[in-house]
């Protein structure tokens, strides 16, 4: 059993968008602002694929998507390459 947010931070994910939010850029929140909302790996699965900037957080009991994590803000990436 491990802390979901700790794992996400270790993997380089920096922001989360809760599933109940409408999919828009303003709904992304820094990982540290979400508190312990997503619990541990006993209750939430982290589904991450290589070469993707996002990961899905899925409730282990219901198999429903509860949030999406992303590694960085697209604006930050654009500024870094400018």
């Amino acid at each position: 059993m491990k802390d979901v947010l700790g794992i996400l931070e270790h993997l380089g994910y920096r922001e989360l968008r809760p599933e109940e939010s409408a999919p828009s850029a303003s709904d992304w929140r820094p990982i540290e602002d979400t508190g312990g909302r997503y619990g541990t790996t006993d209750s939430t699965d982290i589904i991450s694929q290589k070469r993707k900037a996002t990961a899905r957080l899925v409730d282990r009991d219901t198999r429903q998507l509860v949030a999406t994590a992303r590694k960085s803000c697209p604006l930050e990436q654009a500024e870094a390459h400018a």
Side-chain angles (χ1 to χ4, degrees), residues 20-76:
E20 65 268 7
S21 297
S24 72
S26 64
D27 294 328
W28 291 97
R29 301 175 189 153
I31 281 183
E32 58 271 5
D33 289 355
T34 60
R37 178 177 180 178
Y38 300 102
T40 67
T41 52
D42 282 345
S43 60
T44 305
D45 286 330
I46 301 169
I47 302 171
S48 174
Q49 297 176 348
K50 288 184 180 180
R51 300 183 186 186
K52 282 204 144 199
T54 60
R56 295 177 294 154
L57 277 60
V58 177
D59 184 286
R60 286 188 115 182
D61 294 329
T62 65
R63 304 308 303 161
Q64 290 185 333
L65 179 67
V66 294
T68 301
R70 71 178 177 187
K71 292 195 174 192
S72 65
C73 175
L75 295 176
E76 289 176 5

Side-chain angles (χ1 to χ4, degrees), residues 5-15 31 53 69-73:
L5 299 182
I7 293 171
L8 290 172
E9 287 178 336
H10 176 75
L11 294 173
Y13 294 97
R14 297 177 56 204
E15 298 177 308
I31 281 183
R70 71 178 177 187
K71 292 195 174 192
S72 65
C73 175

